Amino acid sequence: MTTTAPRDEQLWSRCTGCSSLLYRKRLRRNLDVCPECGTHARLGAPERLAQLVDPDSFHALPDRAVTVDPIGFVDVLPYPNRLTAARAGTGLDEAVLCGVARIAGYPVVLAVMDFRFLGGSLGCAVGELITRAAERALADRVPLVVVTASGGARMQEGALSLMQMATVSQAIGVLRENGLLTVSVLTDPTYGGVAASFATNTDLVLAESGARMGFAGPRVIRQVTGRPLPEGFQTAEFLLRHGQVDLVVPRRALRGRLAALLAAAAAGRDRSAGLVGTPAGEPGGPAGEPPDGSPAPADGEPADAWDTVRAARHPGRPTTLDYLDSAFDGFVELHGDRLGADCPAVVGGLARLAGRPVMVIGHQKGHTTAELVARNFGMASPAGHRKALRLMRLAARLGLPVVTLVDTPGADPGVGAEEQGQAAAIAENILTMTALPTPVVAVVTGEGGSGGALALAVADRVLMLRHAVYSVISPEGCAAILWPDSAAAPRAARALRLTAPDLSRLGVVDQVVPEPAGGAQADPGAAADLLRRALAANLEPLWDTPVATLVRRRRQRFRRFGAAGVGSPAVTR
């Protein structure tokens, strides 16, 4: 928005996006977002805090910025003169405002940058203030929220400014190591050294609608490459498509999104606190035994295996997003592998199950041909496996259980996936899940195909819907290799023992979840209710189990599948 009078005195503002002339009071009521085109005007740090935190809850940290001129920099003005002018023009001591506050009642430490102060540049004083804010968050055991707005490192402080990238990142790392949530909120603009450090190395990265973020600015990129830039380049929406941010949030919804994330983190901390010490006995029965010690339920005699395969592939069968909408509450989807892609075949994020927060990750297919193609038929790329891995690790740091919903023919078999390290991505997921320090429950809801399925199914409890299938290879693939005749797929399906009752008998599956008559696709609501109850029952004994016990029992569970035979003691020498 452009004006000619001081901001507090103006009556009208002109939108920089659509050039509409807007009544200032109306614009302020709309949180400085143009009601005509949605352009988000830049906010100063005090205005940003007023929008985000509970009334009268913000208290600035006692640390004061000092004047730093380490290299005696002079351009057309001495650097101290520029600092004096910036302080007079903004009313701030430096380009960041730090303090403690509450958001929807949850305590946080905030560091809010202000672009008006020398372009929000990262200098020694700014780095020190944000680092002390992180140290305060560690001392108080509360989350840290950083709102970024910066052109990058401060040139006038030379290499010492560059060092702030490492200084602040190190402080963020300590918080992550201690299981405290760190969140960055990217606002327009966020570039250079800030983008390449604490703006993007937090647990979660949210971007305000229309914000731009990158290492090099668009003008520099055009000059270096001599090529035009893609439409919307480096905008929040561009970053979401390329896996760089978890969420893009309009300003009006930002406070609510932060509150939901803080609520999940608070619940995770409460759960982690309850795991201190060693209980007298281990909750639940031996690995592989249902919570109530009863045999795995089954709804009648097994159908023909090929009929089960066709039921598992039915286009009307509920997908992960369907279950997230019906069996879970308050789902907040998180995006991206932070390395350049956001695989649509894997969805994940925070949700609530029976009133408790969990991290849910699952394969996503679709119902229509267009949806199936857009989601690559639920076949995850390496980026999808890396996204899942990132979310599982985040859940472990926050003390949240992980629920995975498996429904995939297998991992993406394309050339691009191989070039991007598909095998290694699956291997890393499997390895990490064997020792993930938080409860994990996996459910095969449709197709469980090969390593692509196992990449989400190394769990404390493995459940399977009655008309789902889980196999080392598809029946068609098996028939083509061993018969060889693709028409022998029904015969291969029977030979592979891929149905839920088969796998329950083999000990691969801990519990078979019944489905409504006609399958989950016949009554998705009833299927969701059955799934919710099964998940809650299987998670209950895991909630308060010490981490060491969880990991040991999980490893014992998979150790049973060795050459010694299922259910037999391991061979020792």
Side-chain angles (χ1 to χ4, degrees), residues 303-326:
D304 179 76
W306 183 243
D307 291 337
T308 304
V309 170
R310 292 192 294 177
R313 295 172 176 173
H314 193 286
R317 197 166 179 85
T319 67
T320 291
L321 286 177
D322 293 329
Y323 285 123
L324 281 164
D325 187 51
S326 53

Side-chain angles (χ1 to χ4, degrees), residues 451-466:
L454 187 61
L456 292 187
V458 179
D460 301 298
R461 304 283 304 165
V462 179
L463 316 183
M464 194 169 171
L465 297 194
R466 175 63 180 80

Side-chain angles (χ1 to χ4, degrees), residues 8 30 34 55 73 97 100 156 162 194 219-221 225 251 269 279 284 351 354 372 395 431 451 467 506 511 526 529:
D8 293 338
N30 206 43
C34 175
F73 190 92
L97 189 54
V100 297
Q156 293 92 338
L162 187 68
V194 171
R219 182 173 61 181
V220 172
I221 295 173
T225 65
R251 186 170 292 166
R269 287 198 306 276
L372 288 164
L431 180 64
H467 300 302
L506 290 171
Q511 183 177 341
D529 184 59

Side-chain angles (χ1 to χ4, degrees), residues 352-398:
R352 299 186 75 82
L353 175 69
R356 288 174 161 174
V358 294
M359 183 72 77
V360 187
I361 305 162
H363 299 102
Q364 176 63 22
K365 288 183 175 178
H367 299 295
T368 68
T369 300
E371 289 173 343
L372 288 164
V373 171
R375 299 282 184 175
N376 197 30
F377 298 86
M379 296 186 293
S381 67
H385 293 123
R386 287 193 291 262
K387 173 166 67 173
L389 183 63
R390 184 174 73 83
L391 296 183
M392 287 188 282
R393 285 173 169 163
L394 173 60
R397 286 200 298 274
L398 299 181

Side-chain angles (χ1 to χ4, degrees), residues 15-192:
C15 175
T16 56
C18 65
S19 299
S20 296
L21 196 61
L22 304 169
Y23 186 48
R24 181 65 198 158
K25 288 186 177 179
R26 180 191 179 201
L27 187 61
R28 179 53 61 86
R29 285 196 299 270
N30 206 43
L31 304 184
D32 284 277
V33 176
C34 175
E36 305 298 330
C37 71
T39 294
H40 287 52
R42 292 175 182 170
L43 297 178
E47 296 166 304
R48 178 72 64 179
L49 283 165
Q51 291 183 6
L52 289 182
V53 307
D54 297 351
D56 301 320
S57 70
F58 180 78
H59 300 283
L61 296 183
D63 309 295
R64 307 294 295 178
V66 297
T67 299
V68 177
D69 184 16
I71 60 174
F73 190 92
V74 178
D75 49 281
V76 295
L77 287 174
Y79 175 45
N81 291 14
R82 290 197 179 278
L83 286 172
T84 299
R87 287 168 176 163
T90 63
L92 301 176
D93 289 339
E94 254 297 349
V96 67
L97 189 54
C98 301
V100 297
R102 290 183 175 271
I103 297 177
Y106 295 102
V108 295
V109 174
L110 293 109
V112 181
M113 303 187 77
D114 197 315
F115 192 76
R116 299 173 302 159
F117 196 109
L118 297 182
S121 51
L122 175 63
C124 293
V126 172
E128 180 66 18
L129 291 171
I130 299 176
T131 297
R132 292 189 184 186
E135 291 169 349
R136 176 63 180 267
L138 179 63
D140 292 353
R141 306 294 299 177
V142 300
L144 173 71
V145 177
V146 182
V147 182
T148 64
S150 175
R154 190 169 294 179
M155 296 176 292
Q156 293 92 338
E157 296 183 17
L160 289 177
S161 176
L162 187 68
M163 295 302 105
Q164 302 311 307
M165 296 168 61
T167 299
V168 180
S169 294
Q170 178 175 272
I172 297 288
V174 172
L175 290 175
R176 292 178 57 165
E177 290 166 6
N178 281 269
L180 295 172
L181 180 67
T182 58
V183 182
S184 64
V185 179
L186 309 179
T187 72
D188 190 58
T190 298
Y191 279 98

Side-chain angles (χ1 to χ4, degrees), residues 333-344:
E333 186 172 0
L334 304 175
H335 293 267
D337 67 348
R338 301 275 183 92
L339 294 175
D342 182 37
C343 175

